[in-house]
Amino acid sequence: MKPYRHSIGSRTYHFSDLKDLMAKASPMKSGDALAGVAAATEEERIAAKFALADLPLTIFLNEALIPYEDDTVTRLIMDNHNKAAFAPISSMTVGDLRNWLLAYETGTEQLRSVAAGIIPEMAAAVSKLMRNQDLILVAAKVETISRFRSTIGLKGQLSTRLQPNHPTDDPKGIAAAILDGLLNGVGDAVIGINPAADDVVAAERLLQLLDDMRQRYEIPVQSCILTHITNTMVIMERKGPVDIVFQSIAGTEGANNSFGITMDLLQEAWEAALSLQRGTVGNNVMYFETGQGSALSANAHHGVDQQTLEARAYAVACRYEPLLVNTVVGFIGPEYLYDGKQIIRAGLEDHFCGKLLGLPMGCDVCYTNHAEADQNDMDNLLTLLGTAGVNFIMGVPGSDDVMLNYQSTSFHDASYLRQVLGLSCAPEFERWLLKMGLCDDQGRLLPKNRTAPMLAYLQEMDQ
């Protein structure tokens, strides 16, 4: 590894190696400051950006930020790099790549063709040279489509995860939240519950509730219980109604170990879910959640900045052809993303890097109550991600998750974004809404007094 440097005026800034340069070039994040890797001044940050812009992309194939022999994620990245896909951009510097991505002539097909040739560190590096509008423009060019019972990620489409969490896993409370979401046109990405009791029995009971509702009303959606992957594997062995397998993932082997997972475990679960063949329009069966700061919180960051590690998590996701990848951007707290400005930047970075690597990216536009952020900041990020072509967002009753105790986006936030940007939900789901009398032929939601048959479901639960 060689040192890097750049001069501004009479002062020369030195960076000890590539990961030091990458960290110093990153926009300010409280997590990087906590890890001791952030630039000390804005001038040092600018010097690092200049030095980074001049680096050839090939440097990232020859200088691993985390050594190949020490980390399974590094090995996954290097072993799966597609040299043929990389060839068209192989002579570029990081700055050249930025210019190419932003060029009028570079469109959806060109970006799709090079996706397998761009490793996460390259995506992270070029994002560090970009303003927010650059991240939005490039991501908006990318179309990443996934399918199970609904089609997610088509141009002009915004899907939603219906998140009906309940602090005691009460079936009626969950069912009420699900019905409220469906009446508001939410749930076409997935109906996904974070269980309060994270065990096999609780997860299987909730899965059965979701599957019963789906079958009763013939809803073209998929369900998921966000329990640990080992619990889901047990449920599959017990012939439970598993559609989508969930797992939190991170960008280093150590952080993944802290989640209780390995690549072999993910592979086994993926193959088991594929074998069930429960999808109707496709068979993307994995749902991954990520977030900047997870490796640092696990003390497994190796001195690498948190945004680059987040991008490395997307290499893990790519391996398993997921239905959904969700950056839960402000969930970990202000120790990692201090305020609304940092949360907004991180959300756009994550979405850009994931889409550039070919993933069906969504974002939990969220914050914790002790962060220097509020719902107006989330409105801003929500709108920016909508213009960037985000595949899906969250739908939480009242935007306040009463089980996880954080603030996210509501059912009405999805309606707002669809109206402002002229977006629709998944085509299969929209046809169902029309059939059920929940929307008109323009996709506009209709009054709820037409939904008495669905509301009767709750009355039956009382009997």
Side-chain angles (χ1 to χ4, degrees):
M1 296 184 181
K2 62 180 181 180
Y4 301 92
R5 63 181 181 271
H6 185 82
S7 298
I8 296 180
S10 60
R11 181 166 185 178
T12 299
Y13 289 90
H14 296 270
F15 308 98
S16 59
D17 54 23
L18 184 55
K19 70 180 177 182
D20 182 44
L21 177 63
M22 291 274 281
K24 297 297 196 301
S26 298
M28 178 60 190
K29 307 281 178 58
S30 55
D32 289 338
L34 179 65
V37 301
T41 65
E42 283 301 312
E43 185 172 276
E44 183 181 28
R45 182 169 289 111
I46 293 299
K49 289 178 185 289
F50 272 109
L52 184 60
D54 289 337
L55 288 186
L57 293 177
T58 51
I59 198 75
F60 295 97
L61 301 175
N62 299 315
E63 187 174 332
L65 302 187
I66 302 173
Y68 182 92
E69 58 274 12
D70 295 344
D71 188 85
T72 55
V73 178
T74 299
R75 293 196 288 275
L76 177 73
I77 291 168
M78 295 303 184
D79 293 348
N80 288 279
H81 180 243
N82 188 316
K83 294 180 180 179
F86 180 61
I89 58 172
S90 60
S91 63
M92 293 183 185
T93 64
V94 178
D96 292 334
L97 178 61
R98 174 188 177 274
N99 294 338
W100 181 78
L101 292 171
L102 292 169
Y104 284 107
E105 299 77 16
T106 304
T108 301
E109 291 305 316
Q110 289 87 347
L111 292 172
R112 183 180 291 119
S113 69
V114 301
I118 298 174
I119 68 170
E121 289 84 349
M122 296 175 191
V126 74
S127 75
K128 298 177 192 301
L129 307 182
M130 290 179 151
R131 292 169 55 188
N132 287 0
Q133 67 172 240
D134 300 334
L135 299 174
I136 293 167
L137 175 58
V138 176
K141 297 180 182 183
V142 181
E143 185 180 52
T144 51
I145 301 169
S146 58
R147 297 178 173 90
F148 192 77
R149 293 193 188 96
S150 60
T151 303
I152 303 163
L154 297 169
K155 290 280 190 180
Q157 177 185 310
L158 173 71
S159 292
T160 48
R161 169 189 161 192
L162 207 172
Q163 185 171 312
N165 296 344
H166 192 280
T168 64
D169 288 341
D170 176 64
K172 188 175 180 183
I174 289 171
I178 292 171
L179 290 175
D180 190 25
L182 293 172
L183 300 181
N184 281 282
V186 168
D188 56 327
V190 70
I191 302 176
I193 303 172
N194 298 86
D198 192 15
D199 59 67
V200 170
V201 172
E204 192 167 20
R205 183 174 63 248
L206 293 175
L207 265 180
Q208 196 62 60
L209 169 68
L210 295 181
D211 204 55
D212 289 347
M213 291 183 70
R214 177 187 67 81
Q215 293 194 61
R216 174 169 179 166
Y217 297 107
E218 299 179 326
I219 315 171
V221 295
Q222 39 279 336
S223 60
C224 181
I225 304 302
L226 281 70
T227 187
H228 193 269
I229 195 168
T230 52
N231 290 339
T232 306
M233 292 169 73
V234 171
I235 296 171
M236 285 191 283
E237 291 174 0
R238 291 162 56 146
K239 309 301 181 185
V242 173
D243 289 342
I244 305 302
V245 175
F246 165 81
Q247 184 55 49
S248 295
I249 57 174
T252 70
E253 179 178 356
N256 284 321
N257 287 344
S258 75
F259 290 147
I261 59 169
T262 63
M263 298 300 172
D264 289 342
L265 185 64
L266 291 173
Q267 182 76 22
E268 183 181 353
W270 181 44
E271 292 174 357
L274 285 173
S275 71
L276 299 178
Q277 293 291 313
R278 288 174 60 87
T280 55
V281 296
N283 209 26
N284 299 114
V285 296
M286 303 298 283
Y287 175 16
F288 296 118
E289 286 193 344
T290 66
Q292 290 194 27
S294 59
L296 176 58
S297 67
N299 196 28
H301 61 97
H302 298 269
V304 179
D305 68 273
Q306 64 183 32
Q307 188 248 330
T308 299
L309 292 177
E310 171 72 4
R312 282 169 53 95
Y314 302 153
V316 179
C318 283
R319 173 69 185 85
Y320 306 103
E321 301 173 6
L323 180 77
L324 307 166
V325 179
N326 177 33
T327 169
V328 192
V329 64
F331 182 74
I332 303 182
E335 301 86 354
Y336 306 95
L337 297 170
Y338 178 73
D339 57 15
K341 181 177 181 179
Q342 292 187 13
I343 293 171
I344 288 169
R345 175 67 190 190
L348 295 176
E349 289 171 343
D350 296 351
H351 179 251
F352 163 84
C353 288
K355 291 289 276 294
L356 191 61
L357 295 169
L359 287 172
M361 287 300 297
C363 183
D364 191 343
V365 180
C366 65
Y367 64 103
T368 56
N369 286 313
H370 61 308
E372 290 294 319
D374 60 26
Q375 210 65 38
N376 287 325
D377 294 312
M378 300 305 103
D379 285 349
N380 293 342
L381 177 54
L382 172 68
T383 306
L384 294 172
L385 285 168
T387 62
V390 69
N391 281 27
F392 68 101
I393 60 169
M394 303 300 106
V396 177
S399 76
D400 183 1
D401 193 304
V402 295
M403 196 279 282
L404 293 174
N405 294 310
Y406 79 115
Q407 308 302 308
S408 186
T409 44
S410 71
F411 303 153
H412 294 93
D413 290 331
S415 178
Y416 146 74
L417 201 56
R418 286 169 176 165
Q419 289 181 68
V420 168
L421 299 178
L423 304 172
S424 62
C425 56
E428 300 87 355
F429 190 68
E430 188 167 66
R431 288 193 292 270
W432 178 81
L433 292 173
L434 184 62
K435 182 183 76 171
M436 295 293 291
L438 302 180
C439 75
D440 63 19
D441 57 6
Q442 301 298 311
R444 295 173 297 194
L445 296 173
L446 294 174
K448 297 180 184 178
N449 59 10
R450 302 189 183 188
T451 62
M454 292 186 69
L455 296 180
Y457 186 89
L458 295 178
Q459 296 172 343
E460 292 175 14
M461 295 183 76
D462 280 336
Q463 298 172 359

